[in-house]
Amino acid sequence: MDKINQTFTSEFLLLGFSGYPKLEIMYFVLILVMYLVILTGNGVLIIASIFDSRLHTPMYFFLGNLSFLDICYTSSSVPSTLVSLISKKRNIPFSGCAVQMFFGFAMGSTECFLLGMMAFDRYVAICNPLRYPIIMSKVVYVLMASVSWLSGGINSIVQTSLAMQLPFCGNNVINHFTCEILAVLKLACADISLNIITMVISNMAFLVLPLIVIFFSYMFILYTILRMNSATGRRKAFSTCSAHLTVVIIFYGTIFFMYAKPKSQEFPGDDKLQTSDKLISLFYGVVTPMLNPIIYSLRNKDVKIAVKYLLNQKAIHYIKRSSGERKK
């Protein structure tokens, strides 16, 4: 009888913030502005890290990867969210939901590893400065980034495949504004024990392990900084780490609320809890990628110089082109 009652779900319906229709226009404008800031800020950081030779170092290579990742992650979900807010078109095909889930999980997993790699890079730079060029050679840091992307992709393939092969029994209403994996699992009418087990393993590998690397890296960094005799040296060391540490606190503080424990056991009638989950997810999905380039730009002198240089070069090019057109 169970097999007879199970029907194939061809599409899902995303509720989003439909419970607050008067606020949807405000959400639309707010998310659109933040999305444009994400594209502009992260795009400028990527261009600066590529074209400015002063930023051709492991730290800025990882920062460029982080910016590219933020653009990919937000572009996989924000446009559809904006469309649903302005047009009330809330349905998404089954395949589209799977793609959205894949990119969301892949980008999140990859970012965890990248933040761990960046912490290790800062540890080597501050605690072993003489060996830094040898330990963090181009081959090494490119390999580190590649492992982050590959492992994040594999993890997402496993999680997405397990989630999307579950029977949904005709219940296709997702109480979320994206195809977030925890929201989708709530619709399954089958045992999700395997999904929970794999997510716990994933949490250990992609949340806890990088966090341990970050924690011990900064413990050694703090110990090294406190032993420095020069106040200038201590200030410079703190400034190179403060931006990364700020991003780590915001990222992990948000993501632990979302994925540190499976939420498939929550009561469906708890609307306040579900609304708070949506807002936390929105913060993680839009606000955090928007803050990353701002934090790194404000707290990093090299990035400031590189961005100003690029803007000046663009302004000079525009002036030359305008003067050339006038002469003609």
Side-chain angles (χ1 to χ4, degrees), residues 130-303:
L130 298 179
R131 299 185 61 194
Y132 181 72
I134 300 171
I135 297 173
M136 295 299 295
S137 64
K138 187 174 183 179
V139 174
V140 172
Y141 67 74
V142 169
L143 183 62
M144 289 168 69
S146 301
V147 169
S148 299
W149 283 95
L150 183 62
S151 57
I154 293 172
N155 180 46
S156 185
I157 289 173
V158 172
Q159 300 296 338
T160 304
S161 301
L162 289 174
M164 301 311 283
Q165 72 180 6
L166 291 169
F168 297 102
C169 305
N171 184 12
N172 67 337
V173 180
I174 299 176
N175 192 9
H176 214 278
F177 53 86
T178 62
C179 283
E180 199 266 337
I181 189 167
L182 296 177
V184 173
L185 288 179
K186 292 177 184 179
L187 305 182
C189 55
D191 183 25
I192 60 170
S193 299
L194 180 60
N195 301 79
I196 293 175
I197 291 170
T198 55
M199 285 194 69
V200 169
I201 295 171
S202 174
N203 288 340
M204 294 297 294
F206 288 90
L207 287 177
V208 179
L209 186 60
L211 193 59
I212 290 172
V213 173
I214 292 168
F215 176 78
F216 282 104
S217 294
Y218 276 104
M219 286 296 100
F220 285 117
I221 287 170
L222 183 62
Y223 176 73
T224 303
I225 290 174
L226 293 177
R227 292 180 62 195
M228 290 180 178
N229 296 323
S230 170
T232 306
R234 286 197 297 270
R235 198 178 305 114
K236 185 178 179 181
F238 272 122
S239 67
T240 60
C241 297
S242 59
H244 175 258
L245 196 55
T246 304
V247 169
V248 166
I249 292 170
I250 294 173
F251 176 80
Y252 271 96
T254 307
I255 205 170
F256 261 111
F257 276 106
M258 294 171 59
Y259 295 112
K261 63 182 181 68
K263 299 185 181 179
S264 57
Q265 310 291 330
E266 290 171 358
F267 298 104
D270 199 347
D271 294 332
K272 289 184 179 179
L273 189 58
Q274 290 172 351
T275 302
S276 67
D277 287 345
K278 293 177 189 178
L279 293 174
I280 291 169
S281 181
L282 178 66
F283 187 90
Y284 166 70
V286 182
V287 179
T288 304
M290 182 189 71
L291 290 177
N292 285 351
I294 296 173
I295 292 169
Y296 277 104
S297 299
L298 291 176
R299 292 177 172 268
N300 196 297
K301 186 173 70 175
D302 292 335
V303 173

Side-chain angles (χ1 to χ4, degrees), residues 15-68:
L15 287 185
F17 294 106
S18 58
Y20 307 90
K22 294 181 180 179
L23 297 176
E24 286 191 332
I25 296 298
M26 184 191 73
Y27 281 128
F28 174 81
V29 174
L30 187 64
I31 293 173
L32 177 61
V33 170
M34 289 192 291
Y35 183 53
L36 293 176
V37 172
I38 289 167
L39 295 179
T40 304
N42 286 290
V44 168
L45 277 180
I46 292 170
I47 293 170
S49 64
I50 292 173
F51 292 103
D52 195 313
S53 58
R54 289 169 295 189
L55 302 185
H56 291 174
T57 63
M59 183 175 75
Y60 296 111
F61 174 78
F62 289 128
L63 180 57
N65 275 261
L66 192 63
S67 295
F68 179 70

